[in-house]
Amino acid sequence: MNAIRLRDLAEIPVERLRGVGPKKQASLEQVGIVNVLDLVTTYPRRWVDRTNEARIADLVPGEEALVLVTVRSVTKRVTRNRRTMVNVNVGDGSGRMEVVFFNQPWRERQLTEGLQIALFGKADTYRGGLQMSNPVVDLIGDQTGRIVPIYPQSEKAQINTWEMAGWIGESLRRCADRGIADPVPVALLREHAMIDRGRALHDIHLPEQISHKERARRRLAFDELLRVQMVLVLRKRRMEREQRGIDHRLTGEFVDRFTSSLPYELTDAQRRTIAEIEADLAAPHPMHRLLQGDVGAGKTVVAVATMLSAVEGRHQAALMAPTEVLAEQHATGIAALLTGVTVPDPGNLFGDRPLRVELLTNRVTGADRKDVLAGLADGSVDIVIGTHALIQDKVEFSSLGVVVVDEQHRFGVEQRAALRGKSAGGRTPDMLVMTATPIPRTAAMTVYGDLDVSVLDELPPGRTPIVTHWANGPLMETGVWQEVRDEVKAGRQAYVVCPLIDESEKLEVASAQETFDRLLHDELRGLRIGLLHGRLPSQEKELTMELFRSGQLDVLVATTVIEVGVDVPNATVMVILDADRFGIAQLHQLRGRVGRGEHASTCWLVTQHNEESNPRVEALVATTDGFALAEVDLELRGEGTLMSTAQKGRSDLKLASLRRDRALIEIARTAAFEIVDADPDLADHPLLADELDLIFSDRDEEFLAKS
Ligand code: ADP
Ligand code: MG
């Protein structure tokens, strides 16, 4: 008799279980439980350990405790100030007490007489008796056993935790004879001290001791992570096998000449990254690399070196930026870095010609545009820098060798793929994706698991760190404006970022306008102030940026349009209003607009209401290290920020957490490489192959690989 596979469980509909008729079946379906696999992978959200429970008689007023009680009676009434109040009288063998719930009218229906419940809360004395108000309630029903699993409950679907426990218990009992198959090689389990899957599946639901559920969770979380890594690694290896890359003929000479022409030494991180990229370019399969580097880490030089490598082998390179402002800035900056560079040109009397860099955005029109398009098609344009305009149909390359995408999170998957698709002859250009939003390494393994990752983890020397302050409340805000005036007097410039309004760009623009007017007439009267927001015509935006860049404006009031890429070294003050409305990553990006020159810079995070604490703002004050902040962000917000909802919903990380399970992620990734490299078709791992097939539809796989 073969041990039971996940597929076997998935083939048994829930109706086959005792007590699941058409009505319950429909309810379960509502919460996504259709088959027995869905059921047994619905894990408890908590376990109540009866041996730890207090008795009512032992409760100490003012102290939190857990009690296991039976509901005696329930009444509901509406108080004079129109709040509902549900009173529940409960008892155990030792005594009775009152429980009150304010504004939870549904408790009347939930807590029926005779029901066993666990209450967690603080008991107080009230009118001579004990009372708990608004405790945490876990329904236990008539479950027996020392440790009771509490399942997520859906009010809507009308399924309670003891029904769930019953069905899951029955399912597990029916698996006992044949046992649950284990797809993970025994040696691997042993190496990492993991229990077998059958044991784990049992113990997560019905642990004999509370400590057992932790080792069960570890094993099952590992399985989830291994599956994700298997998909990513399989996909990565398949691409490497199947895609034909561009033949780059690298001598490194171009890049060497370029780097030695720079007025500074490369950092070790830049050197290492460029070497990694050169190795990728020399390899037969296309590069697919993510470059993570904090703002100011010097990603541009790496991008230019990458593009030059393509040009050296007589190919073209494209850099795609998310906004026109950024594309223009890159075009100007990169053209300046590359002045004097020549490329071989046999058709030319001197055997070479100047390297040609062009800009292509929707603002490049008429004859200029025609010229750029013709140059791309005939190969006379070596490097093109642009926006989405680069992926329009009319854009054709003579030989696109390298694609660099800046600020990756602003582009969709399709847009990157579209640019990459613009190569000729069935060859795939090498791609470098750059992001200034660091994410922790192990999280990157899961979110970008099919990409190779390089990290610029070192800032160029000589930077004066930005000092960040929290201006907590209106009183402190006054001081901020004085600081701005002082800096302007000293010849510096300042940014003021207006409150972020998620719901509406219109409101955001209005608030920016309002801030601008207020500062102009009041706090910063007499200074030269400009306003920048998304709804201005692009000519006006451009003009304002230019005035600020050239020092003809002292202060730039802006919405988050300045978040990426704006580079004005003389700006030394960043004021972010209503800083509590922004996320950590965004605040960090905004702050990165200052601290780009020789003068010391300051960032003020202004919040309106005097608050006691604000973990996000405090994190920004404490460090300027983007990776450290990424850790805090993950800690505070959880993985939802890293994976889109769709991705999270479809992948099967139910127990595993990108935050808590970093060590497991590493183990899973290493294991996936070991398994795939030894057995690329998984011929020797049929159980594992079958499981991947079952759990990841094609769409999921695409999604995971391309996110
Ligand atoms: P990023 O795009 O990573 O935010 P940039 O490429 O714009 O950073 O570089 C930020 C600034 O640092 C630029 O002014 C650049 O000239 C400078 N820079 C880059 N690399 C170095 C280095 N190795 N030493 C000194 N300055 C550097
Ligand atoms: Mg940059």
Side-chain angles (χ1 to χ4, degrees):
M1 224 167 19
N2 286 334
I4 298 166
R5 300 170 304 164
L6 297 192
R7 185 181 297 280
D8 300 322
L9 295 175
E11 280 167 359
I12 310 172
V14 284
E15 299 95 288
R16 297 271 299 277
L17 292 167
R18 216 177 308 141
V20 182
K23 217 172 129 205
K24 287 295 170 192
Q25 185 262 327
S27 298
L28 284 167
E29 193 172 343
Q30 248 186 42
V31 288
I33 300 173
V34 176
N35 57 52
V36 170
L37 178 62
D38 300 330
L39 193 64
V40 297
T41 54
T42 302
Y43 301 111
R45 64 175 168 78
R46 212 200 316 250
W47 295 258
V48 172
D49 186 349
R50 287 185 203 260
T51 51
N52 262 351
E53 86 204 56
R55 295 171 337 136
I56 290 179
D58 304 332
L59 287 177
V60 180
E63 279 180 22
E64 288 193 324
L66 179 80
V67 284
L68 235 95
V69 296
T70 307
V71 175
R72 302 287 178 205
S73 65
V74 184
T75 54
K76 184 170 86 171
R77 65 191 181 88
V78 178
T79 63
R80 245 173 300 157
N81 39 20
R82 278 184 294 154
R83 298 208 296 170
T84 54
M85 188 172 156
V86 175
N87 281 67
V88 183
N89 186 269
V90 300
D92 62 9
S94 76
R96 289 199 171 201
M97 88 177 158
E98 280 294 316
V99 182
V100 283
F101 296 95
F102 293 102
N103 284 332
Q104 301 175 18
W106 46 274
R107 291 290 188 195
E108 187 195 20
R109 269 173 296 121
Q110 184 199 33
L111 302 176
T112 49
E113 210 184 299
L115 192 65
Q116 270 224 50
I117 56 177
L119 297 173
F120 180 76
K122 204 163 66 180
D124 283 304
T125 36
Y126 181 74
R127 290 189 179 159
L130 275 176
Q131 175 176 303
M132 261 190 197
S133 42
N134 291 345
V136 176
V137 180
D138 283 324
L139 302 189
I140 292 184
D142 54 4
Q143 291 182 85
T144 54
R146 211 156 69 82
I147 294 172
V148 179
I150 306 294
Y151 291 93
Q153 304 200 59
S154 160
E155 195 59 27
K156 204 176 67 196
Q158 298 276 314
I159 301 166
N160 58 45
T161 168
W162 59 93
E163 285 175 308
M164 284 295 289
W167 297 323
I168 290 170
E170 184 190 341
S171 305
L172 292 173
R173 270 194 305 282
R174 292 220 211 158
C175 290
D177 278 353
R178 273 169 67 189
I180 302 277
D182 199 325
V184 177
V186 177
L188 191 66
L189 294 180
R190 221 171 270 148
E191 185 185 342
H192 298 289
M194 283 194 230
I195 58 174
D196 73 75
R197 179 183 277 177
R199 171 96 269 157
L201 202 55
H202 178 274
D203 284 2
I204 192 102
H205 292 287
L206 300 164
E208 244 158 61
Q209 300 170 27
I210 214 81
S211 64
H212 288 177
K213 74 171 201 316
E214 194 36 53
R215 57 177 209 195
R217 195 201 78 86
R218 178 166 178 267
R219 169 60 211 269
L220 297 171
F222 173 74
D223 287 4
E224 295 176 356
L225 292 166
L226 180 65
R227 285 193 288 259
V228 172
Q229 291 301 334
M230 286 296 297
V231 171
L232 292 166
V233 169
L234 280 167
R235 165 128 193 150
K236 179 170 160 38
R237 291 298 193 228
R238 189 165 60 233
M239 283 199 310
E240 288 169 2
R241 270 200 315 272
E242 290 171 5
Q243 290 185 343
R244 277 207 311 160
I246 309 281
D247 276 319
H248 290 282
R249 274 150 300 168
L250 291 182
T251 63
E253 203 185 301
F254 259 52
V255 173
D256 287 347
R257 240 186 291 151
F258 163 67
T259 53
S260 52
S261 77
L262 293 171
Y264 43 75
E265 290 283 304
L266 293 184
T267 63
D268 287 341
Q270 283 170 323
R271 235 184 273 284
R272 186 185 62 229
T273 303
I274 290 174
E276 284 165 351
I277 291 169
E278 284 179 339
D280 284 355
L281 293 179
H285 54 79
M287 167 168 81
H288 199 182
R289 184 172 286 276
L290 176 77
L291 174 57
Q292 288 199 62
D294 215 337
V295 267
K299 292 186 289 298
T300 314
V301 168
V302 175
V304 171
T306 308
M307 295 196 287
L308 276 178
S309 298
V311 174
E312 180 175 34
R314 312 281 287 277
H315 297 287
Q316 296 161 294
L319 186 154
M320 184 158 71
T323 65
E324 290 185 342
V325 172
L326 197 54
E328 282 158 19
Q329 212 162 263
H330 266 314
T332 317
I334 289 173
L337 281 174
L338 293 175
T339 39
V341 178
T342 56
V343 293
D345 180 7
N348 187 297
L349 180 59
F350 302 101
D352 60 16
R353 60 169 175 81
L355 178 135
R356 188 171 166 203
V357 180
E358 294 286 356
L359 171 73
L360 186 67
T361 67
N362 288 333
R363 292 221 282 262
V364 178
T365 52
D368 289 347
R369 188 179 192 88
K370 268 208 183 117
D371 197 35
V372 175
L373 290 180
L376 287 173
D378 70 17
S380 62
V381 171
D382 302 293
I383 292 180
V384 65
I385 293 159
T387 51
H388 301 79
L390 287 173
I391 54 182
Q392 286 157 3
D393 287 343
K394 268 171 263 158
V395 183
E396 274 171 34
F397 290 84
S398 157
S399 173
L400 181 58
V402 158
V403 170
V404 179
V405 181
D406 197 9
E407 308 295 352
Q408 158 289 316
H409 61 291
R410 299 249 170 162
F411 288 106
V413 175
E414 300 76 18
Q415 291 166 325
R416 269 188 277 142
L419 186 53
R420 224 182 176 194
K422 286 194 177 288
S423 63
R427 294 185 181 261
T428 309
D430 293 275
M431 172 144 84
L432 180 69
V433 175
M434 305 198 290
T435 173
T437 312
I439 68 173
R441 203 172 63 87
T442 50
M445 286 178 183
T446 312
V447 182
Y448 303 109
D450 64 329
L451 275 66
D452 294 302
V453 179
S454 294
V455 182
L456 288 183
D457 50 6
E458 178 188 3
L459 290 183
R463 298 270 168 85
T464 334
I466 304 165
V467 177
T468 304
H469 300 287
W470 179 12
N472 187 2
L475 253 169
M476 290 183 74
E477 187 181 332
T478 319
V480 174
W481 303 122
Q482 190 51 49
E483 172 95 2
V484 171
R485 288 179 167 282
D486 291 347
E487 280 290 292
V488 169
K489 202 178 283 169
R492 306 284 85 75
Q493 291 162 284
Y495 297 101
V496 178
V497 177
C498 298
L500 178 74
I501 298 171
D502 272 337
E503 313 83 63
S504 142
E505 196 196 2
K506 211 166 140 193
L507 282 179
E508 189 162 296
V509 167
S511 110
Q513 182 70 48
E514 200 179 299
T515 308
F516 173 73
D517 292 338
R518 198 190 75 192
L519 295 176
L520 193 67
H521 295 115
D522 193 357
E523 284 97 337
L524 299 180
R525 200 153 89 202
L527 303 190
R528 298 169 301 172
I529 309 179
L531 173 64
L532 199 66
H533 61 67
R535 290 234 167 154
L536 293 173
S538 42
Q539 270 178 341
E540 206 175 321
K541 267 193 269 188
E542 204 176 353
L543 180 68
T544 307
M545 262 328 292
E546 196 39 51
L547 288 175
F548 189 68
R549 218 175 276 139
S550 62
Q552 297 175 68
L553 288 174
D554 303 313
V555 178
L556 187 64
V557 175
T559 54
T560 50
V561 291
I562 64 156
E563 183 186 346
V564 274
V566 174
D567 192 7
V568 179
N570 192 48
T572 55
V573 184
M574 167 62 68
V575 180
I576 303 176
L577 299 175
D578 286 3
D580 44 341
R581 290 187 179 229
F582 295 91
I584 285 186
Q586 209 172 11
L587 289 172
H588 181 61
Q589 288 290 315
L590 287 167
R591 175 169 64 179
R593 298 308 110 209
V594 296
R596 311 197 133 223
E598 53 190 304
H599 304 284
S601 294
T602 317
C603 172
W604 290 94
L605 302 174
V606 181
T607 54
Q608 274 187 20
H609 313 288
N610 213 317
E611 289 176 272
E612 233 165 66
S613 81
N614 184 319
R616 270 176 297 152
V617 171
E618 282 159 340
L620 266 290
V621 170
T623 180
T624 52
D625 177 344
F627 282 91
L629 288 170
E631 304 270 347
V632 177
D633 206 18
L634 190 57
E635 214 49 60
L636 289 176
R637 293 205 296 173
E639 39 257 60
T641 56
L642 293 176
M643 297 215 237
S644 69
T645 2
Q647 195 178 358
K648 205 176 145 121
R650 277 189 269 157
S651 74
D652 87 321
L653 299 188
K654 288 179 175 169
L655 289 170
S657 144
L658 298 187
R659 186 170 23 145
R660 283 202 293 161
D661 295 317
R662 294 183 195 184
L664 275 187
I665 294 173
E666 303 235 21
I667 298 173
R669 185 152 180 89
T670 310
F673 272 111
E674 276 170 19
I675 294 172
V676 173
D677 286 344
D679 181 20
D681 305 320
L682 300 187
D684 301 331
H685 297 83
L687 275 172
L688 198 50
D690 184 61
E691 203 163 302
L692 297 178
D693 206 43
L694 172 74
I695 287 174
F696 298 98
S697 67
D698 290 347
R699 262 182 80 197
D700 280 324
E701 198 183 318
E702 287 287 291
F703 210 88
L704 273 172
K706 281 181 165 180
S707 57

